[in-house]
Amino acid sequence: MEVKHWLKEREIPVDTFESAMDFSEFKLNSDGMIPAIVQDYKTGEVLMLAYMNQEAYETTVKTGRMTYYSRSRKCLWVKGETSGHFQYVKSLTLDCDNDTLLAKVRQVGPACHTGARSCFFKPLVQKEYRETNPLKVFEDVYGVILDRKANPKEAPTPTTCSTRASTRF
């Protein structure tokens, strides 16, 4: 992103992030932060929730990498800086009340510090239902197609119905 900003300053057309709203227009919590829900941009899976102050938000927009404010360490935290599990911004969207961000990202590796893909893996209450993901359905059908291509089956031999049909009348 630094190279892109350098190119843009020289009026060379490149894609960079530009916020449509100033951070001062967000409704912040009592600590001056806004929660950010983080979602995988391809699957829609919710990966984590973290908080951003103004510096974290502006750093995220400038670099294209999710940057948060660590409430426990009291400092900025670039996701992936120590683990290598970066989150690259695809989009940032503000909710209708201006008090929560939705970040769609390309997640490298697991999002959770436990090593889990998502921080949301502890079931509490669940009604019986079947989770369906269109991508999973496509992958399953594609798997069947590949299997049939690798292991073709003979077509069934056609049978004639003329004998049976003639005895009915």
Side-chain angles (χ1 to χ4, degrees):
M1 285 300 265
E2 287 178 22
V3 172
K4 285 184 173 186
H5 286 286
W6 184 85
L7 292 169
K8 188 172 183 171
E9 287 171 6
R10 282 145 186 83
E11 298 181 10
I12 298 170
V14 290
D15 287 334
T16 58
F17 293 118
E18 303 292 332
S19 182
M21 288 178 70
D22 189 70
F23 190 82
S24 63
E25 298 177 72
F26 299 167
K27 290 182 186 170
L28 308 176
N29 66 15
S30 59
D31 295 327
M33 291 188 274
I34 189 165
I37 299 166
V38 184
Q39 188 177 37
D40 183 286
Y41 85 104
K42 283 185 180 177
T43 66
E45 179 182 19
V46 175
L47 302 172
M48 60 181 278
L49 171 93
Y51 291 85
M52 298 174 117
N53 63 8
Q54 184 170 355
E55 186 180 5
Y57 177 75
E58 290 172 355
T59 301
T60 296
V61 172
K62 182 179 177 184
T63 64
R65 289 185 300 184
M66 291 303 295
T67 305
Y68 306 104
Y69 183 80
S70 172
R71 296 174 298 162
S72 59
R73 292 179 284 183
K74 307 222 181 299
C75 63
L76 285 189
W77 155 51
V78 177
K79 179 70 175 165
E81 197 168 50
T82 56
S83 66
H85 302 150
F86 290 99
Q87 294 174 335
Y88 294 99
V89 178
K90 293 297 184 178
S91 69
L92 297 173
T93 308
L94 191 62
D95 79 334
C96 59
D97 295 319
N98 293 359
D99 64 1
T100 305
L101 289 174
L102 175 63
K104 292 188 180 182
V105 303
R106 179 173 61 86
Q107 175 69 50
V108 175
C112 186
H113 71 280
T114 65
R117 168 89 179 135
S118 167
C119 292
F120 296 96
F121 59 86
K122 296 179 180 180
L124 297 175
V125 176
Q126 186 171 334
K127 190 173 185 175
E128 285 187 40
Y129 73 102
R130 181 179 170 176
E131 286 190 39
T132 57
N133 177 335
L135 182 60
K136 180 70 177 139
V137 172
F138 174 75
E139 287 172 346
D140 291 347
V141 170
Y142 187 64
V144 170
I145 292 168
L146 290 177
D147 180 63
R148 288 188 181 167
K149 184 177 178 183
N151 306 299
K153 297 179 181 163
E154 282 188 39
T157 312
T159 57
T160 57
C161 299
S162 59
T163 312
R164 228 185 308 150
S166 62
T167 57
R168 267 199 255 166
F169 298 105

